[in-house]
Amino acid sequence: MKKVLSLTMAILISVTVAFTSTACQNRTGETVKEGYTPLYVNVLSCGVGTAFAESLEDKFEAMCEAEGKKVDVIITTNDVNGNEGITAVRSGASDIFYFNGFDISYYTNLAEKTSNAVLDITDIVTEGGEDSIYNRLQEVSRNYFNVGTDNDPKFFALPWFSSYYGTVYDVELFRENHYYRNDPNIPADSSILEYTGLDGITGNEDDAFGPDGVENTVDDGLPATWNDFRLLLEQMQNTQVKPFAFTMQGNYTEAWLYSLWASYEGASNIYTMTNFSGDYKSRNAQGGVDTLEVTPENAYMMSEQTGKLAALEIAKYLVESNSICLNSYDSASENNLEAQKTYLRSFLGKNANKDGQRIAFLMEGTWWENEAKDYFGTLVGETKDDSLAYGTREFGFMPFPKFINDASGIPDQVHNKTVMRSSWVSNMAAAVMISKNSAQPELAKKFLKLAYSEEMNGDFTLNSGVTVPMEYTMTKEQLSKITPFQKNIFELVQSPYVEVVEAVTRSEYMLSEPDVVKTISTFAMATSETTSTYINAPIEKFKENMSVETYWQGIQWANPAKNWANMPWMK
């Protein structure tokens, strides 16, 4: 397996270099194997890593060799990304680009269904009938990347991965402290507080079925409701366990709250917000269901979805109940990588963090374990304890509890399925594309066909820890090699009791007024009724003793209702 090279300078090197048949210096400065055709694959350096691409490299080269073709796949990494990456893509500095900030409206002419930057790959997406890439894509991703129609599809890119934001939990800690409510070994004299489960009744089997309310599924034993979750936090505090760690840098805490919001609302309600259409369903004070028909004329009302208020209530509770590790409030130095270290080291106890306590939860994305892989090795080296190794130490992903019989007074949600959120409301996606100026366009297409095969989708999850937004299975061999955390994610995403929210959109409203749409779909609050200064940091403001009521008032001030008549779609 060849070394992965950093190639920030690659886009500056002429693409007129000879690419085939001879030993020469390629675009990376590496020597191409004599008699081989090079294929350049650039992978954005991020938490997903490059192991998946290295595995693809091996399998693709072997496949080509079996067909009598000599191909030299050269993997490069650099920070070329998003709309700024279009220069590199147009130059053909690499044949294939993996991005995590791809705006399809920037790279293609949506009206004409053309692109002067990326290659048309419709043929490889649609071939294969029922087993085609097109048919195996999740609906939301298909709708985003298909710039044509269902009857006449047109594709210039494909989704790279789905990374879900939420609550990572320490499985071994849960076992040791008997936090699972289906644990048969809970001591009889334990002070564990009793869950009531979805039905609100203590002492029956439902108490241990988890948020999906179904026995023998991946969330069994976890708290099903926020009332039960509060009991769990209380128990943790009583046993000297600090509930949460996270970073205040970037938008990690907001991402967690967006997931909580989506969990409350469900996919249908979230899509009414992104599409400006559909029926928004909510509970009324009498326990019944109210239905609002959402149209472009009244879509500003989605700025005040009940799930947003529910998320604020939980954020305030975490701050007030002292459920957050002190390290997490150090916004200057505790970035996402340091937060991962704080979480992993907390098992050391007294000197591991500012609280001197073990930490149960990490607010993160599903890529975190893969991103922290090297630090697992560091801990094993320091402690000489192999049980702390990557893939040995067990973590899980906790589905959000439900607001049923909730103490906050927020009406119960009206959907039933557990929700996992990948992207939030945005016009950018994680994507892979082929440069229109690729020196080897057909070879690049062949590479992507392999990459999106059933086998390689499973291989991708095995080597990255995250999933592809497609329907696929994993082989027994792949599942035997996957880490407990990765297996947990895969089982959740594939579960019939779990609903996935992918809110990336290229709706006409996002394309024409992205700032307005993002105001509706974030925690942006105005600092006064007349200002345009916005804040999008609930936990930070609650740490400063702001009330939920004040924050919610700021959200109402930021609601674009008063300017809605001036929106392009209203004229």
Side-chain angles (χ1 to χ4, degrees), residues 256-274:
W256 187 83
L257 291 172
Y258 291 144
S259 293
L260 199 164
W261 173 359
S263 174
Y264 183 100
E265 297 289 351
S268 178
N269 276 357
I270 295 300
Y271 294 147
T272 63
M273 178 172 57
T274 61

Side-chain angles (χ1 to χ4, degrees), residues 3-283:
K3 181 180 179 182
V4 178
L5 303 176
S6 177
L7 288 183
T8 303
M9 293 299 293
I11 62 174
L12 303 177
I13 299 174
S14 171
V15 296
T16 60
V17 175
F19 295 135
T20 63
S21 300
T22 60
C24 63
Q25 292 295 304
N26 60 37
R27 282 169 280 179
T28 71
E30 183 186 2
T31 300
V32 179
K33 293 178 183 178
E34 185 173 353
Y36 283 70
T37 300
L39 182 70
Y40 298 90
V41 180
N42 186 80
V43 181
L44 177 72
S45 181
C46 63
V48 173
T50 58
F52 79 92
E54 293 161 16
S55 181
L56 261 171
E57 170 194 333
D58 291 344
K59 291 178 174 62
F60 185 70
E61 289 178 348
M63 182 179 74
C64 290
E65 185 173 356
E67 296 173 352
K69 301 174 183 177
K70 294 181 177 181
V71 176
D72 188 6
V73 176
I74 299 164
I75 302 168
T76 63
T77 61
N78 60 61
D79 292 330
V80 176
N81 193 35
N83 293 344
E84 295 78 13
I86 198 166
T87 301
V89 174
R90 283 176 177 156
S91 75
S94 288
D95 299 291
I96 298 171
F97 288 85
Y98 285 87
F99 276 9
N100 190 25
F102 176 76
D103 181 349
I104 200 166
S105 67
Y106 192 84
Y107 281 78
T108 65
N109 184 319
L110 294 174
E112 298 181 3
K113 301 178 178 57
T114 59
S115 174
N116 61 11
V118 292
L119 190 69
D120 184 340
I121 57 172
T122 305
D123 53 346
I124 65 166
V125 175
T126 56
E127 68 180 37
E130 290 298 319
D131 293 328
S132 67
I133 294 172
Y134 181 85
N135 281 337
R136 289 184 288 119
L137 284 170
Q138 290 180 357
E139 183 179 3
V140 175
S141 291
R142 185 190 304 126
N143 292 343
Y144 177 83
F145 285 95
N146 181 13
V147 302
T149 64
D150 287 340
N151 293 327
D152 185 20
K154 180 73 71 172
F155 282 80
F156 292 94
L158 284 168
W160 178 9
F161 63 85
S162 291
S163 52
Y164 301 94
Y165 292 81
T167 309
V168 178
Y169 73 97
D170 187 331
V171 169
E172 294 176 8
L173 176 66
F174 269 59
R175 287 175 181 154
E176 292 167 7
N177 288 11
H178 306 293
Y179 292 154
Y180 287 113
R181 287 309 191 267
N182 60 345
D183 181 356
N185 299 313
I186 296 177
D189 60 349
S190 172
S191 61
I192 289 175
L193 299 169
E194 291 294 331
Y195 285 177
T196 62
L198 295 175
D199 60 7
I201 302 172
T202 302
N204 61 11
E205 291 182 345
D206 169 74
D207 303 347
F209 289 175
D212 66 12
V214 180
E215 190 176 11
N216 297 323
T217 57
V218 68
D219 67 355
D220 284 4
L222 298 174
T225 69
W226 283 102
N227 273 347
D228 288 346
F229 190 81
R230 291 183 180 93
L231 294 178
L232 176 60
L233 295 189
E234 183 178 337
Q235 183 184 347
M236 287 177 174
Q237 299 276 25
N238 291 339
T239 52
Q240 299 302 302
V241 170
K242 183 62 64 173
F244 280 96
F246 51 76
T247 175
M248 295 281 278
Q249 293 186 20
N251 66 343
Y252 278 77
T253 57
E254 286 76 32
W256 187 83
L257 291 172
Y258 291 144
S259 293
L260 199 164
W261 173 359
S263 174
Y264 183 100
E265 297 289 351
S268 178
N269 276 357
I270 295 300
Y271 294 147
T272 63
M273 178 172 57
T274 61
N275 299 328
F276 287 12
S277 66
D279 290 337
Y280 177 75
K281 296 183 181 296
S282 60
R283 291 284 184 191

Side-chain angles (χ1 to χ4, degrees), residues 33 38 112 125 135-136 211 316 361 390 473-474 533 552:
K33 293 178 183 178
E112 298 181 3
V125 175
N135 281 337
R136 289 184 288 119
K316 181 67 171 180
F361 302 121
Y390 173 82
T473 59
M474 297 184 70
T533 302
W552 189 247

Side-chain angles (χ1 to χ4, degrees), residues 491-516:
E491 289 177 347
L492 282 168
V493 172
Q494 298 296 328
S495 170
Y497 307 108
V498 171
E499 187 174 59
V500 172
V501 170
E502 297 260 9
V504 63
T505 179
R506 55 180 177 85
S507 70
E508 61 177 294
Y509 317 109
M510 175 64 83
L511 294 179
S512 61
E513 294 290 337
D515 290 341
V516 171

Side-chain angles (χ1 to χ4, degrees), residues 440-545:
Q440 302 293 339
E442 294 307 312
L443 195 61
K445 286 183 180 181
K446 190 181 183 73
F447 184 89
L448 288 193
K449 281 177 62 178
L450 176 63
Y452 285 84
S453 65
E454 180 90 357
E455 175 193 357
M456 296 312 296
N457 282 338
D459 191 80
F460 177 85
T461 296
L462 172 63
N463 284 289
S464 68
V466 296
T467 56
V468 184
M470 300 180 72
E471 298 297 328
Y472 63 100
T473 59
M474 297 184 70
T475 66
K476 289 183 179 180
E477 182 181 2
Q478 288 170 338
L479 290 172
S480 70
K481 295 177 180 178
I482 207 167
T483 72
F485 182 71
Q486 292 168 351
K487 185 177 181 181
N488 182 241
I489 298 300
F490 184 75
E491 289 177 347
L492 282 168
V493 172
Q494 298 296 328
S495 170
Y497 307 108
V498 171
E499 187 174 59
V500 172
V501 170
E502 297 260 9
V504 63
T505 179
R506 55 180 177 85
S507 70
E508 61 177 294
Y509 317 109
M510 175 64 83
L511 294 179
S512 61
E513 294 290 337
D515 290 341
V516 171
V517 177
K518 289 176 182 178
T519 297
I520 291 173
S521 59
T522 69
F523 291 95
M525 62 165 286
T527 53
S528 74
E529 189 171 8
T530 57
T531 187
S532 59
T533 302
Y534 291 166
I535 294 169
N536 184 30
I539 288 181
E540 180 180 337
K541 302 312 294 183
F542 294 150
K543 183 67 170 62
E544 297 171 1
N545 294 319

